[in-house]
Amino acid sequence: MSVTNQQAAGYPFLKGLFEDDYFPDQVVTRGKEILLRLCARIEAEQPSDLAALYALTEVATEEFNALEAEFEAAGSEIETVAREEICEDFGFVASAYGFEDADVEKLVTARNW
């Protein structure tokens, strides 16, 4: 999974979660991988409009939905701090790929966390 966008490649995804002991690093790492896969898919598929971008972010959001069980199994959860951090990073991804006017709520509309 190679990301060529320099902004995205050097971005510290989920940094706040890695810095908080409540969130297990091995699960947070899986979340970071989801976001990097999203970047790679955006680069590969080059969505031409917001609707196409939202289709890609929906898949990534569903992956975070599945990741919730891993957080719970590790004694954690996707709660307020995690939700805000994840949503912020989805917004960063959209902006890094030229979709500055993407609605963060629409980027993660499929979330159940």
Side-chain angles (χ1 to χ4, degrees):
M1 158 181 43
S2 179
V3 175
T4 61
N5 178 299
Q6 292 304 306
Q7 254 187 308
Y11 187 76
F13 287 107
L14 306 178
K15 180 182 179 191
L17 302 186
F18 280 113
E19 294 173 347
D20 188 330
D21 291 338
Y22 177 69
F23 303 104
D25 284 351
Q26 72 274 14
V27 182
V28 176
T29 296
R30 301 257 336 252
K32 179 179 178 176
E33 291 167 354
I34 291 168
L35 292 165
L36 287 169
R37 273 196 305 277
L38 172 60
C39 292
R41 286 195 66 199
I42 291 170
E43 290 179 13
E45 298 182 27
Q46 299 182 1
S48 59
D49 57 20
L50 284 173
L53 175 67
Y54 294 148
L56 295 178
T57 62
E58 181 177 357
V59 173
T61 302
E62 293 289 349
E63 290 183 64
F64 271 102
N65 289 345
L67 194 60
E68 173 69 13
E70 291 185 44
F71 274 102
E72 290 174 0
S76 183
E77 65 180 311
I78 298 179
E79 43 71 75
T80 304
V81 170
R83 274 193 301 273
E84 290 175 5
E85 183 96 5
I86 294 166
C87 289
E88 183 178 304
D89 284 358
F90 268 90
F92 165 80
V93 168
S95 180
Y97 288 95
F99 294 95
E100 293 84 4
D101 48 343
D103 180 325
V104 173
E105 286 303 314
K106 288 183 180 178
L107 292 171
V108 295
T109 196
R111 71 180 171 150
N112 59 18
W113 28 270

